[in-house]
């Protein structure tokens, strides 16, 4: 390391910011350096009705007073209300629920509580915080984490003795609710349900959780309890709306943040342009590497957030090469992501807390709540997709009142370029809304199946606010339930919760088996990701180690890999076909139509590219033919009438290029209006006349796919550009785009107009080599006609 002897962390941090400023100013890459001043806290006394032993214990821990929002949370709960707490990262939200829960248990030892966290790591971290307080109390309060890592022989004791159960939605869904008869003490005495990181429960995950809470409330009512809800979230625009939709209960807002915070530097960095004609910028991955290296070599503990598992492993490889120069340095740089085995995750978390690990590269797995207070710097390799997640990741550094730095490094996508060039949009008080759709039919049916297994439905009983008669009749036709004496009984041998995945389309996961020496499992990958990450001949990367995929066994859900050491990684190419099943609505807007309806989507991995490390050069390709992944979902689509399309003053090939360029821009601009990741929505181009689909432009020459529309037949082409919900049944994203009407296209036109490239680039209509000749000009011409 290059830390200057005798320099303090503060001095090294300021010095590093100055170096980055100088580096960025040379290439006009620094768009803003926002200095957020340190802030003093706003404090209030403990309420007199809090158990005195609890007050004493918290004061011994250094909490001599409450922050104002902690006191207001207590006051609302004391008045028998449900609450949602909306304050920034590291503002002491934990005490907003620990205080009332511990107080209730001390006054009534039979009382119980459930804490729900979105990740196992966060539950482990919060239990450690809780146990520190409990050790200082005279009474025994038993807390347990209950997740997939909990040993079988410990589970019986937890069910019988636990006062506070810390778990996650997956375990509540499969391991607690279906076995409620083993948890009678918990459900008979359930006082509080705590849901932390509420903003994380949006889209498909949040829609599932809302139904899990319907099941939980139904079981609690069966045992005679009526728990109150305490929900905590980072800043979003609609906290009360999402909390009330999630719980189907009235909720009071607590948002008067009284927590102090240290000073923070927020830096927006745009990689410099290296080809002005094509608008090509330096690789954001390489720039992230250089910036992280700068801070690490100045002795500053740094976390780098990457947008995917692949980029995580690429950056781990780069930084290990930069920092771990001697045997003594080994282990100072680590990766952290979903798929790592539990013992490895715990070891990395411990190493961060103890300061032994100097740099960690993570997916969003470390975004949520885990307090690793010694971190100095957060480097965000790409915009996470929404403002709330960006603040969450920036807040991983400086969590103990120390000065800190967060650097956002833009990719070339339109979304990243919009944010990086419009910092006022980011820093304004206008965050996004979280969207869920608990009544998505496929999700709803799945959870009514689970609820029927748990407790028989009675005639005319509602599931939350939903009438169940029609769905229960359907399940009876499917021979899953039986109606007898005003009740609906589950009759199938199937265990329904096992077949419901809360986060992905399929519940099937693949295990990765290393056969280099003695066979051992090194990771686990969900079904959808496995098709692109574990296909035959793929290079799978785990903590910087490269593995060559020899075989993907679909029946056994196993991928067999061997260690390798080569200078490239692989990037899968897929092909999506889309078919309209039903049109829910259509609007004519001047010269074009917008639509919203149900579609069938079939996606197949057809090949892969070999991308060289460091240079990002495409050094080869391979053909694949994996099984299709199919679903029904909802979609928004723009129909450009054939007459408008034919009137474009360009060659046929150029027109097609422009349609794909416009599709690229629509896909990347849409997340401006949806609190979602780019991966949550898909894009496809089809023909409204024939209903056929065009193959994507990313198909590498030599990889053959079925070309639904031969170029000779494009004379009657009436383009449909689809933006679809990337989840079965839809989760409310595409209807929101339909409601925007022309506004979405206007923003696309602005995005293309402000881009400085000539022929198209990743910041507007896609790279010129992929989008093709005149793609930018044609896309702009179409938008000028339509918008």
């Amino acid at each position: 390391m290059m830390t200057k002897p005798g320099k303090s962390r503060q001095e090294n941090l300021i010095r590093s910011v100055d170096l980055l400023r100088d580096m960025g100013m040379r290439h006009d890459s620094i768009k803003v350096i926002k200095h957020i001043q340190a802030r003093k806290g706003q404090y209030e006394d403990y309420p007199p009705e809090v158990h005195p032993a609890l007050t004493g214990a918290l004061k011994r821990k250094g909490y001599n007073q409450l922050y104002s929002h902690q006191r207001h949370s207590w006051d609302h709960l004391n008045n028998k209300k449900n609450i949602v707490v909306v304050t920034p990262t590291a503002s002491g939200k934990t005490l907003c629920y620990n205080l009332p829960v511990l107080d209730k248990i001390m006054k009534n030892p039979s009382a119980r509580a459930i804490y729900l966290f979105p990740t196992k790591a966060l539950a482990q971290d919060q239990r450690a915080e809780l146990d520190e307080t409990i050790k200082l109390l005279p009474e025994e309060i038993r807390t347990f984490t209950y997740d997939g890592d909990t040993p079988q022989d410990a589970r019986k004791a937890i069910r019988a003795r636990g006062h506070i159960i810390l778990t996650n939605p997956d375990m509540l869904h499969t391991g607690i609710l279906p076995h409620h008869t083993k948890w009678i003490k918990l459900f008979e005495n359930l006082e509080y349900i705590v849901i932390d990181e509420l903003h994380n429960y949006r889209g498909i995950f949040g829609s599932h959780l809302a139904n899990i809470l319907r099941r939980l409330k139904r079981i609690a009512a069966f045992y005679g309890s009526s728990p109150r809800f305490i929900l905590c979230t980072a800043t979003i625009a609609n906290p009360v709306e999402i909390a009330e939709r999630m719980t189907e209960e009235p909720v009071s807002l607590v948002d008067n943040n009284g927590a102090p915070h240290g000073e923070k530097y927020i830096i927006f960095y745009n990689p410099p342009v290296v080809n002005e004609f094509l608008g090509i910028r330096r690789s954001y991955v390489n720039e992230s590497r250089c910036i992280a290296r700068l801070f690490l070599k100045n002795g500053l503990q740094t976390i780098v957030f990457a947008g995917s598992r692949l980029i995580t492993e690429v950056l781990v490889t780069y930084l290990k090469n930069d920092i771990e120069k001697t045997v003594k340095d080994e282990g100072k740089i680590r990766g952290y992501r979903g798929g790592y085995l539990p013992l490895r995750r715990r070891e990395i978390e411990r190493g961060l807390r103890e300061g032994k690990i100097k740099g960690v590269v993570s997916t969003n797995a470390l975004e949520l709540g885990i307090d690793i207070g010694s971190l100095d710097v957060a480097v965000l390799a790409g915009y996470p997709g929404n403002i709330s997640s960006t603040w969450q990741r920036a807040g991983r550094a400086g969590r103990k009142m120390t000065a800190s730095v967060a650097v956002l490094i833009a990719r070339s996508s339109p979304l990243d370029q919009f944010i990086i060039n419009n910092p006022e949009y980011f820093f304004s008080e206008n965050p996004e809304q979280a969207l869920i759709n608990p009544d998505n039919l496929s999700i709803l049916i799945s959870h009514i199946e689970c609820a029927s297994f748990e407790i028989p439905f009675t005639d005319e009983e509602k599931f939350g606010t939903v009438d169940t008669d029609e769905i229960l009749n359907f399940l009876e036709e499917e021979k899953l339930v039986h109606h007898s004496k005003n009740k609906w009984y589950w009759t199938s041998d199937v265990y329904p919760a096992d077949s419901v995945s809360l986060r992905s389309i399929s519940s099937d996961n693949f295990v990765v088996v290393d056969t280099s020496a003695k066979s051992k499992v090194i990771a686990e990958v969900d079904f959808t990701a496995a098709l692109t990450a574990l296909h035959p001949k793929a290079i799978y990367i785990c903590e910087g180690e490269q593995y060559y995929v020899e075989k993907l066994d679909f029946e056994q859900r196993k991928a067999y890999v061997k260690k390798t050491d080569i200078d490239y990684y692989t990037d899968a190419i897929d092909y999506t076909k889309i078919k309209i099943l039903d049109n829910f609505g259509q609007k004519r807007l001047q010269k074009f139509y917008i639509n919203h309806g149900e579609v069938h989507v079939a996606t197949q991995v057809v090949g892969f590219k070999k991308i060289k490390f460091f240079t990002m050069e495409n050094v080869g390709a391979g053909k694949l033919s994996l099984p299709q992944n199919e679903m029904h979902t909802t979609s928004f689509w723009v129909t450009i009438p054939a007459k408008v399309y034919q009137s474009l003053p360009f060659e046929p090939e150029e027109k097609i290029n422009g349609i794909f360029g416009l599709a690229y821009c629509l896909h990347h601009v849409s997340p401006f209006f949806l609190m979602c990741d780019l991966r949550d929505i898909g894009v496809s181009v089809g023909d409204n006349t024939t209903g056929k689909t065009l193959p994507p432009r990313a198909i590498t020459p030599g990889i053959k796919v079925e070309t639904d529309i031969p170029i000779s037949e494009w004379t009657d082409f009436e383009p449909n550009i689809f933006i679809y919900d990337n989840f079965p049944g839809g989760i409310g994203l595409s209807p929101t785009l339909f409601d925007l009407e022309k506004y979405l296209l206007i923003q696309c036109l602005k995005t293309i107009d402000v881009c400085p490239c000539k022929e198209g680039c990743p910041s507007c209509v896609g790279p010129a080599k992929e989008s093709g000749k005149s793609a930018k000009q044609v896309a702009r011409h179409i938008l000028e006609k339509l918008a």
Side-chain angles (χ1 to χ4, degrees):
M1 296 287 180
M2 293 174 58
T3 313
K4 297 289 184 182
K7 291 275 186 181
S8 69
R9 278 172 40 162
Q10 176 84 4
E11 289 173 318
N12 283 328
L13 187 139
I14 298 299
R15 177 173 175 272
S16 300
V17 170
D18 288 340
L19 288 171
L20 179 56
R21 180 190 284 112
D22 293 342
M23 182 177 84
M25 292 303 182
R26 285 198 298 270
H27 303 289
D28 193 30
S29 293
I30 302 286
K31 295 303 175 183
V32 69
I33 298 180
K34 178 88 169 178
H35 181 213
I36 300 173
Q37 298 285 353
R39 163 187 148 149
K40 293 182 179 179
Q42 299 170 19
Y43 301 95
E44 296 193 24
D45 292 333
Y46 283 91
E49 60 269 24
V50 176
H51 195 291
L54 178 56
T55 302
L58 291 170
K59 286 184 176 180
R60 285 199 296 279
K61 281 191 69 181
Y63 303 139
N64 294 316
Q65 289 181 293
L66 297 178
Y67 298 144
S68 55
H69 62 277
Q70 294 169 340
R71 175 60 191 263
H72 291 189
S73 297
W74 171 274
D75 292 340
H76 281 300
L77 292 167
N78 211 33
N79 289 324
K80 310 298 182 188
K81 294 179 179 178
N82 305 295
I83 62 168
V84 57
V85 182
V86 187
T87 57
T89 303
S91 57
K93 288 191 284 284
T94 301
L95 199 56
C96 291
Y97 50 81
N98 280 347
L99 182 66
V101 169
L102 292 174
D103 179 75
K104 176 65 74 173
I105 295 170
M106 292 186 74
K107 293 172 180 174
N108 174 15
S110 296
R112 299 289 188 268
I114 294 174
Y115 286 16
L116 273 182
F117 300 100
T119 66
K120 296 176 186 177
L122 183 53
Q124 293 278 353
D125 189 74
Q126 293 299 320
R127 184 190 168 184
E129 165 74 17
L130 197 55
D131 286 346
E132 284 180 12
T133 304
I134 291 171
K135 284 177 185 175
L136 302 173
L137 297 174
E139 289 88 357
E140 183 186 17
I141 295 178
R142 296 177 292 274
T143 66
F144 298 99
T145 52
Y146 194 81
D147 57 33
D149 299 339
T150 305
Q152 288 292 335
D153 56 0
R155 296 186 178 192
K156 184 175 180 180
I158 292 171
R159 290 193 291 263
R161 302 176 64 242
H163 285 109
I164 302 172
I165 305 300
L166 297 89
T167 188
N168 54 64
D170 305 84
M171 200 63 181
L172 182 63
H173 161 62
T174 58
I176 296 178
L177 298 182
H179 306 289
H180 59 87
T181 54
K182 298 179 180 179
W183 294 85
I184 293 175
K185 283 187 178 180
L186 173 69
F187 288 111
E188 281 182 339
N189 300 284
L190 189 57
E191 294 283 347
Y192 286 111
I193 300 168
V194 173
I195 303 174
D196 201 5
E197 308 289 355
L198 174 65
H199 58 280
N200 194 56
Y201 299 111
R202 57 186 188 272
I204 196 81
F205 194 20
S207 303
H208 274 294
L209 180 60
N211 281 283
I212 291 169
L213 295 180
R214 286 170 168 170
R215 288 161 53 197
L216 193 160
K217 288 169 63 180
R218 186 169 176 261
I219 290 171
F222 178 79
Y223 288 103
S225 65
S226 180
R228 274 177 289 152
F229 288 92
I230 304 173
L231 305 104
C232 298
T233 178
T235 305
I236 53 176
N238 61 334
V240 174
E241 177 193 339
I242 187 77
E244 291 186 341
R245 189 137 200 232
M246 188 73 72
T247 63
E248 297 182 321
E249 302 279 354
V251 175
S252 297
L253 176 65
V254 177
D255 62 353
N256 56 322
N257 177 33
H261 62 72
E263 66 174 327
K264 184 180 284 286
Y265 294 89
I266 307 284
I267 301 172
F268 279 19
Y269 182 93
N270 206 8
V273 174
V274 294
N275 184 322
E276 291 188 12
F277 186 78
L278 297 176
I280 297 173
R281 296 181 181 275
R282 280 188 198 163
S283 162
Y284 82 96
V285 177
N286 281 330
E287 294 297 286
S288 300
R289 169 198 185 182
C290 293
I291 290 170
R293 181 177 61 201
L294 183 154
F295 288 111
L296 285 164
K297 288 196 170 183
N298 276 288
L300 299 167
Q301 197 177 21
T302 300
I303 183 168
V304 182
F305 282 104
S308 69
R309 294 178 176 186
L310 176 61
I311 299 301
T312 297
E313 297 295 354
V314 169
L315 279 167
V316 170
T317 303
Y318 289 173
L319 290 173
K320 278 181 173 289
N321 187 62
D322 292 338
I323 303 299
E324 296 182 357
K325 298 293 188 182
T326 67
V327 174
K328 186 177 69 173
D329 294 329
E330 285 183 9
K332 288 187 175 180
I333 305 297
R334 301 294 297 271
Y336 189 104
R337 61 171 175 79
Y340 284 7
L341 297 177
L343 288 177
R344 179 177 286 184
R345 293 198 303 267
R346 303 289 179 265
E347 177 214 337
I348 296 167
E349 292 159 20
R350 187 169 59 252
L352 284 167
R353 290 192 189 97
E354 294 172 356
K356 293 177 182 176
I357 296 174
K358 297 304 180 185
V360 63
V361 186
S362 175
T363 58
N364 63 355
L366 278 178
E367 176 183 318
L368 300 175
I370 298 172
D371 187 0
I372 35 184
S374 59
L375 292 181
D376 304 303
V377 181
V379 175
L380 282 63
Y383 178 59
N386 60 75
I387 292 171
S388 292
S389 288
T390 306
W391 281 113
Q392 283 286 106
R393 295 182 188 191
R396 293 308 95 191
R399 289 172 56 84
K400 289 186 177 177
M401 284 301 297
T402 56
S404 62
V405 177
V407 185
L408 173 61
I409 300 162
R411 291 167 294 202
S412 294
S413 75
L415 181 58
D416 286 49
Q417 290 300 311
F418 177 85
I419 288 293
I420 215 76
N421 289 303
N422 296 276
E424 69 280 358
Y425 175 85
F426 179 83
F427 290 108
S428 69
E429 309 225 345
N430 185 28
E432 310 94 337
Q433 295 196 19
L435 299 171
I436 62 171
N437 180 19
D439 298 336
N440 169 295
L441 189 58
S442 61
I443 294 174
L444 186 62
I445 289 174
S446 296
H447 287 281
I448 287 179
E449 289 179 7
C450 296
S452 300
F453 175 89
E454 290 153 5
I455 300 172
F457 277 95
T458 58
D459 286 346
E460 300 182 3
E461 180 185 349
K462 290 191 172 186
F463 184 58
T465 59
V466 177
D467 291 322
T468 58
D469 291 349
E470 189 176 348
I471 292 175
L472 289 169
N473 278 302
F474 165 76
L475 295 179
E476 186 176 39
E477 291 173 10
E478 296 292 311
K479 298 188 174 7
L480 295 174
V481 299
H482 174 68
H483 186 250
S484 176
K485 296 182 180 179
N486 303 321
K487 287 189 177 181
W488 298 85
Y489 295 91
W490 183 260
T491 57
S492 172
D493 292 335
V494 175
Y495 181 65
D498 267 354
S499 62
V500 181
S501 170
L502 304 187
R503 291 176 176 83
S504 59
I505 293 168
S506 169
S507 59
D508 294 331
N509 285 349
F510 282 78
V511 293
V512 183
V513 182
D514 178 13
T515 60
S516 304
K518 185 179 178 181
S519 291
K520 62 177 179 178
V521 174
I522 59 170
E524 189 174 351
V525 179
D526 68 73
F527 181 88
T528 306
L531 297 177
T532 55
L534 294 173
H535 59 76
K537 302 179 185 177
I539 302 301
Y540 179 73
I541 308 177
C542 183
E543 274 220 271
E545 297 279 355
Q546 296 170 307
Y547 298 87
Y548 179 81
V549 180
E550 296 186 314
K551 180 182 176 184
L552 184 62
D553 187 334
F554 272 86
E555 288 188 7
Q556 298 296 319
R557 296 294 190 258
K558 291 180 179 179
Y560 295 95
V561 303
K562 275 192 174 178
K563 274 192 180 181
T564 187
D565 185 14
I566 50 180
D567 63 351
Y568 69 87
Y569 62 92
T570 50
D571 188 16
I573 303 166
D574 58 26
Y575 173 28
T576 296
K577 294 184 181 181
I578 194 162
K579 181 179 179 181
I580 299 169
L581 301 177
D582 193 5
N583 194 323
F584 299 154
Q586 183 180 78
K587 295 178 186 176
R588 182 179 178 91
L589 302 175
Q590 295 178 331
K591 296 182 179 179
F592 69 104
Y593 298 91
I594 58 171
N595 309 267
H596 170 237
E598 184 180 5
V599 296
H600 175 265
V601 176
T603 301
Q604 183 178 25
V605 175
V606 294
F608 62 92
K609 294 179 284 188
K610 298 176 181 179
I611 308 297
K612 197 167 185 178
F613 284 119
F614 305 108
T615 66
M616 313 304 286
E617 180 185 358
N618 187 336
V619 293
K623 303 176 186 178
L624 294 170
S625 183
L626 298 185
Q628 286 190 344
N629 200 18
E630 300 185 34
M631 67 174 171
H632 287 195
T633 187
T634 55
S635 180
F636 160 81
W637 67 94
V638 178
T639 301
I640 301 170
K643 286 184 179 179
V644 174
Y645 179 75
Q646 296 303 328
S647 70
L648 296 173
F650 297 93
E651 295 297 320
E653 184 71 22
E654 292 176 321
K655 292 179 188 179
I656 293 295
N657 295 343
I659 292 296
F660 274 103
L662 177 53
Y664 177 96
C665 191
L666 275 167
H667 184 212
H668 285 76
V669 169
S670 292
F672 288 159
F673 311 101
L674 310 167
M675 193 176 177
C676 75
D677 296 325
L678 189 65
R679 297 183 294 270
D680 293 340
I681 52 177
V683 63
S684 186
V685 176
D687 179 16
N688 195 50
T689 305
T690 64
K692 300 295 181 105
T693 304
L694 275 72
R697 287 304 166 123
I699 298 292
T700 302
I703 297 176
K704 299 226 179 222
V705 297
E706 177 190 345
T707 304
D708 284 321
I709 306 174
I711 193 166
S712 60
E713 298 178 16
W714 286 351
T715 51
D716 297 325
F717 183 41
E718 186 166 78
N720 279 334
I721 301 176
F722 296 91
I723 306 292
Y724 58 88
D725 287 28
N726 219 354
F727 303 101
I731 50 172
L733 302 178
S734 53
T736 304
L737 295 178
F738 183 70
D739 292 339
L740 289 172
E741 299 187 348
K742 283 181 64 175
Y743 190 65
L744 177 60
L745 297 182
I746 291 169
Q747 297 308 310
C748 285
L749 181 58
K750 286 182 180 178
T751 301
I752 292 174
D753 279 342
V754 300
C755 186
C757 74
K758 304 295 183 185
E759 289 291 322
C761 72
S763 301
C764 57
V765 298
K769 287 184 179 179
E770 292 183 14
S771 55
K773 182 183 176 184
S774 303
K776 183 173 183 178
Q777 293 89 329
V778 176
R780 181 192 284 119
H781 197 91
I782 294 170
L783 287 169
E784 287 172 346
K785 277 179 172 281
L786 302 184

